[in-house]
Amino acid sequence: MAHCAYCKAETFLYDGGVPICLECADARDANSKPPETEHRIRTILTEALTEATARANAASEEFSGVMGDIPSALPHPDGTQRIHNASRELSAARKEVMQAHTRLTDFLSRGIIPEDLK
Ligand SMILES: [Zn+2]
């Protein structure tokens, strides 16, 4: 058994060759989140928001396109289905934007790390 470099408690845990006990490791992680982790999470969340926004814009254009087609497309049998699909895609894409936005702002303003990124 090694002894924790910080509190001298017995430990089997090493961090970069330095013995550290679970309690000290936890306390340290809570106090100072490694900057690269924070940076990584912020990058992931920002990119997710950018991608979701791009998808929503594309879905919005697709929806406008479908709606613009309608006069000439009627009485096309799948016209209604196309509207439904485009509309559903657009609202799903907008929902993703809102979720991505919430995840990013929760992290930036309150330090909340999404479960799937922990
Ligand atoms: Zn310790």
Side-chain angles (χ1 to χ4, degrees):
M1 270 292 194
H3 291 270
C4 171
Y6 304 90
C7 71
K8 306 297 174 202
E10 287 197 331
T11 182
F12 53 85
L13 194 69
Y14 284 85
D15 179 52
V18 179
I20 185 170
C21 71
L22 273 176
E23 261 174 58
C24 287
D26 278 350
R28 189 197 52 185
D29 288 349
N31 287 336
S32 62
K33 219 180 314 155
E36 66 266 34
T37 300
E38 202 173 324
H39 180 74
R40 182 180 64 86
I41 292 170
R42 197 166 53 209
T43 303
I44 290 171
L45 294 177
T46 306
E47 278 173 5
L49 178 58
T50 306
E51 281 168 21
T53 305
R55 274 199 301 274
N57 287 341
S60 177
E61 266 176 40
E62 168 74 17
F63 184 70
S64 304
V66 170
M67 292 309 276
D69 268 356
I70 296 315
S72 59
L74 286 177
H76 213 277
D78 64 4
T80 313
Q81 192 55 46
R82 283 182 67 207
I83 298 174
H84 275 301
N85 291 347
S87 156
R88 197 175 49 216
E89 218 159 281
L90 178 57
S91 55
R94 282 187 175 152
K95 207 168 165 186
E96 272 179 43
V97 172
M98 286 191 324
Q99 281 169 347
H101 190 257
T102 303
R103 281 156 61 94
L104 179 61
T105 51
D106 276 356
F107 177 68
L108 293 181
S109 63
R110 293 189 281 163
I112 297 171
I113 301 172
E115 280 299 322
D116 55 317
L117 295 182
K118 276 180 185 167

